[in-house]
Amino acid sequence: MGNPQTLDVLSRVFGYDSFRGDQQEVVDHVVDGGDALVLMPTGAGKSLCYQIPALVRDGVGVVISPLIALMQDQVDGLRAAGVRAGYLNSTQDPDERRMVEAEFLAGRLDLLYLAPERLRSEATMRLVERGPVSVFAIDEAHCVSQWGHDFRPDYLELSTLHERRPDVPRIALTATATPATREEITARLKLTDARVFVSSFDRPNIQYRIVPKRDPRKQLLDFLRTEHAGDAGIVYCLSRRSVEETAEFLSRNGIEALPYHAGLDAGTRARHQARFLREDGLVVVATIAFGMGIDKPDVRFVAHLDLPKSVEGYYQETGRAGRDGLPSTAWLAYGLADVVAQRRLIDTSEGDAAHRRRLSSHLDAMLALCETVDCRRARLLAYFGQQLDGERCGNCDTCLSPPETWDGTVAAQKLLSTVVRLKRERGQKFGAGQIVDILRGKRTPKVTQHRHDQLSVFGVGTDLGEGEWRAVVRQLLAQGLLAVEGDYGTLVTTDASDEVLFRGRTVPLRRDPARTAVRSSRTTSARAETVELDDEASAVFERLRAWRAAAAKEQGVPAYVLFHDATLRQIATLRPSTRAELGTVNGVGETKLSRYGDEVLGVLTS
Ligand code: ADP
Ligand code: ZN
């Protein structure tokens, strides 16, 4: 059962007593010199899959990673565990680089992190050709795929690397893996002979919630105050401006939030990212440019104020929450305006028709996830070709408070025929606002100006409120029974609309939950393995955190490089009195024990 050496490294270096999921099999396979393609969700423990083979096999493990800004932290983290690690990227000066290269050639490293852009230089290629390489690890391997959402041209050089060193086993890893992406990775990296390891993509500790958008910033503030006060998290917005405004709004309301987007200068971005990683409980408000590969384990929530463009993107972004396995929330506010905006973006996007169709099918899948009355997790997994055990997960909003459905056929007919009449009788097109005002019989200036109060459909929809009508429009758009057009988001019918108007197609709709939806408390989101700390343990945990913050600051590394929250929680519960006892805690390896053992025991007795 496995190679004893790998277990030894796992416990001695990393302080863990058993492998998780597929880790053992992957590690054994690569230690034996096999190629592997590893598909594992974020937080499942991909890093150990290549780090341990690198430590066990002779030579240096070379890791290709696009995350230049994080290499320093990754290397610091490994060094704290006693691993000899280094990196080569564009942030170094030539002298530093030469030193690392010499150590690599002499085999005095266990792991070398390499930025993909270095592969373009012949000097780097020659270096890799001459050096003692034990394994190539290709992290974030989906970056080689153009179908996915993070394509990096430099990744295409990876096949050259393989041609130069066909003797070295390769392990490619990613947390993004629709069947299409997977095929592309295999083809482009020529990994046809690799063994493929596919883990479940379920992230049981993440609670998925998608709420109707009303007053998004206020909803966000409520959510943070009631459920995530003092927690670290990421808020995603689509535009730079909305990033800036949201960060300011949160800060004004007592929640420390930093903006992050491509319009900020590199220094500011780096500073904000570093603070997020190093300090406890900060919120970053960002465009999607933020977060890939950030392995901060204690991100407690990911909130979206705008609709993500694809389920893959949504899964990636929300996956940044809860790497440590503790309960976390993925929260998305979504409304009619999002659908209109996204459709417009696609219509005006560059690229050919095939490209637009691809964007469109990505969006349709995302909308279906938003509008489903079934379990969100089951839907998400289905998207990745996987199945949930059982029908419902019990830890998403639709499971916790199942939405009602209603027969929206008549409402849909009223709405669609209003759109049709405007077009046919007046040759006009209008946006959702005007259509809803007509249906509700509101004599606004714009309605009287256009004499829309004289239409036969004027006021036929007083049975529904404005919010309800907007929900109808949104869902008809999501179902393709209605479409938007042009710069003003005007509504037009589709071929499928006729089925509703003339051919008896029924339209089941989801009723938006009332404003005061039942909010599950954090303790019910407990498919995650977590123990509630009693008062005394909580106090100890806080003291340990304070010690960790001070020690990390002194060393200039993120707090989690010393110990993760999960490790501190376990220490606070066990309250070990000897080094040997402390050594049994998950996440306390030999190097950390000898470096911090006395200090931690000191905190416990103080
Ligand atoms: P990924 O790269 O897949 O997102 P990481 O490699 O960052 O995940 O691992 C996620 C977390 O799980 C890390 O804190 C890591 O130390 C921890 N971890 C990984 N493997 C194990 C294990 N076998 N036992 C305990 N903790 C583990
Ligand atoms: Zn569910």
Side-chain angles (χ1 to χ4, degrees):
M1 232 234 61
N3 182 328
Q5 245 184 310
T6 57
L7 264 179
D8 177 58
V9 171
L10 180 71
S11 77
R12 208 162 32 78
V13 178
F14 297 97
Y16 301 134
D17 32 70
S18 56
F19 282 109
R20 278 188 194 156
D22 289 339
Q23 279 177 335
Q24 169 103 65
E25 272 188 88
V26 176
V27 165
D28 286 345
H29 180 72
V30 178
V31 166
D32 286 343
D35 289 342
L37 172 58
V38 176
L39 312 169
M40 265 187 198
T42 305
K46 281 186 287 302
S47 325
L48 290 185
C49 291
Y50 60 83
Q51 286 166 353
I52 292 185
L55 286 164
V56 171
R57 285 174 64 88
D58 287 337
V60 186
V62 173
V63 186
I64 317 299
S65 165
L67 313 164
I68 297 171
L70 300 172
M71 280 186 180
Q72 180 74 56
D73 286 346
Q74 285 171 327
V75 164
D76 285 345
L78 285 163
R79 287 191 181 148
V83 176
R84 301 172 303 169
Y87 64 83
L88 288 174
N89 70 29
S90 51
T91 66
Q92 292 160 307
D93 59 46
D95 280 345
E96 275 177 275
R97 222 153 35 213
R98 263 195 297 278
M99 233 158 64
V100 178
E101 288 174 3
E103 294 201 300
F104 165 66
L105 287 172
R108 280 197 302 268
L109 289 177
D110 300 306
L111 279 156
L112 174 67
Y113 284 78
L114 201 60
E117 88 269 358
R118 307 249 35 106
L119 296 174
R120 266 183 285 141
S121 106
E122 179 54 28
T124 307
M125 281 290 181
R126 273 207 301 275
L127 182 79
V128 174
E129 220 163 16
R130 285 186 295 147
V133 185
S134 57
V135 57
F136 287 122
I138 300 153
D139 203 8
E140 313 287 350
H142 61 278
C143 290
V144 79
S145 150
Q146 275 164 321
W147 160 262
H149 49 95
D150 281 326
F151 177 59
R152 305 285 172 106
D154 290 337
Y155 261 59
L156 298 175
E157 300 293 333
L158 284 166
S159 56
T160 321
L161 194 62
H162 174 54
E163 282 158 23
R164 301 260 188 129
R165 290 299 301 265
D167 57 312
V168 179
R170 293 175 301 159
I171 170 172
L173 312 102
T174 176
T176 300
T178 58
T181 311
R182 193 198 306 181
E183 273 168 36
E184 210 182 335
I185 295 174
T186 308
R188 288 193 189 271
L189 296 179
K190 302 201 178 67
L191 276 171
T192 28
D193 293 330
R195 203 167 138 194
V196 182
F197 297 87
V198 187
S199 308
S200 165
F201 272 66
D202 191 11
R203 300 286 310 280
N205 60 311
I206 298 181
Q207 181 175 97
Y208 296 100
R209 300 204 330 242
I210 301 180
V211 304
K213 197 187 259 190
R214 290 176 176 122
D215 181 352
R217 285 190 191 132
K218 172 144 187 321
Q219 286 172 282
L220 174 69
L221 187 64
D222 269 358
F223 165 65
L224 296 189
R225 280 186 174 155
T226 52
E227 297 181 56
H228 286 290
D231 284 345
I234 307 173
V235 178
Y236 285 111
C237 306
L238 216 51
S239 74
R240 296 174 186 182
R241 191 168 130 210
S242 128
V243 163
E244 294 281 350
E245 289 173 359
T246 306
E248 216 181 279
F249 170 83
L250 289 178
S251 298
R252 251 197 337 268
N253 284 282
I255 293 176
E256 192 160 13
L258 306 171
Y260 188 103
H261 57 70
L264 295 169
D265 63 88
T268 307
R269 283 208 307 269
R271 210 165 47 245
H272 288 181
Q273 174 166 307
R275 282 192 62 194
F276 179 66
L277 293 176
R278 280 166 173 69
E279 295 174 31
D280 281 329
L282 274 188
V283 175
V284 161
V285 185
T287 49
I288 50 167
F290 180 78
M292 182 167 64
I294 288 214
D295 51 5
K296 185 176 168 63
D298 57 353
V299 175
R300 291 274 68 87
F301 66 88
V302 169
H304 282 92
L305 282 184
D306 294 302
L307 185 68
K309 292 183 171 61
S310 70
V311 176
E312 263 179 283
Y314 172 74
Y315 179 81
Q316 281 291 309
E317 285 146 25
T318 55
R320 290 167 191 152
R323 276 172 177 252
D324 54 10
L326 301 178
S328 311
T329 319
W331 183 92
L332 158 66
Y334 146 78
L336 171 58
D338 287 295
V339 192
V340 175
Q342 293 278 9
R343 290 260 191 243
R344 189 156 70 216
L345 275 177
I346 294 174
D347 286 343
T348 57
S349 82
E350 290 168 24
D352 54 10
H355 177 66
R356 275 199 289 278
R357 262 201 307 281
R358 200 156 63 199
L359 294 178
S360 211
S361 69
H362 280 316
L363 177 61
D364 287 343
M366 189 63 220
L367 293 176
L369 177 68
C370 291
E371 302 292 359
T372 186
V373 293
D374 302 328
C375 171
R376 307 253 192 228
R377 194 181 309 275
R379 276 284 181 142
L380 263 179
L381 289 176
Y383 188 76
F384 294 106
Q386 300 189 342
Q387 251 188 336
L388 187 75
D389 298 333
E391 209 169 296
R392 296 194 155 262
C393 76
N395 193 24
C396 72
D397 54 353
T398 58
C399 283
L400 290 165
S401 47
E404 291 171 28
T405 51
W406 60 291
D407 182 354
T409 310
V410 174
Q413 287 167 343
K414 288 177 183 170
L415 197 137
L416 293 174
S417 58
T418 304
V419 173
V420 169
R421 260 165 222 275
L422 278 176
K423 178 87 198 305
R424 211 176 41 216
E425 294 171 17
R426 310 274 184 92
Q428 294 172 335
K429 293 179 197 166
F430 279 88
Q434 183 79 351
I435 307 282
V436 170
D437 284 344
I438 296 171
L439 285 162
R440 300 198 63 231
K442 275 177 76 176
R443 285 201 168 74
T444 65
K446 195 168 162 191
V447 165
T448 36
Q449 178 203 339
H450 291 282
R451 293 183 297 107
H452 285 166
D453 47 355
Q454 288 166 27
L455 289 166
S456 60
V457 286
F458 184 75
V460 295
T462 48
D463 51 331
L464 297 182
E466 184 181 330
E468 289 166 305
W469 273 117
R470 290 181 71 84
V472 173
V473 177
R474 192 190 74 216
Q475 295 185 67
L476 293 181
L477 286 170
Q479 295 185 26
L481 294 172
L482 194 63
V484 283
E485 218 183 56
D487 276 352
Y488 301 101
T490 54
L491 298 178
V492 294
T493 52
T494 67
D495 291 345
S497 310
D498 283 355
E499 295 171 19
V500 178
L501 284 171
F502 311 115
R503 290 199 284 282
R505 169 163 171 182
T506 59
V507 185
L509 293 178
R510 175 193 156 104
R511 197 180 298 287
D512 281 347
R515 207 166 292 246
T516 50
V518 217
R519 209 181 273 117
S520 79
S521 80
R522 274 178 66 171
T523 43
T524 63
S525 54
R527 272 183 69 191
E529 302 152 26
T530 160
V531 249
E532 283 301 307
L533 297 178
D534 59 33
D535 288 350
E536 198 180 341
S538 288
V540 176
F541 176 63
E542 288 311 324
R543 286 213 307 278
L544 287 167
R545 258 163 64 115
W547 163 79
R548 180 182 66 179
K553 189 151 189 209
E554 204 179 289
Q555 298 173 37
V557 297
Y560 61 81
V561 161
L562 275 71
F563 292 111
H564 287 181
D565 279 2
T567 302
L568 293 190
R569 290 172 77 93
Q570 210 185 336
I571 296 174
T573 315
L574 278 174
R575 268 159 269 168
S577 53
T578 63
R579 271 176 170 244
E581 272 182 87
L582 180 59
T584 64
V585 171
N586 239 346
V588 186
E590 273 178 7
T591 303
K592 288 191 183 172
L593 187 62
S594 70
R595 206 171 286 175
Y596 307 116
D598 290 339
E599 287 182 47
V600 169
L601 292 173
V603 173
L604 292 177
T605 50
S606 66

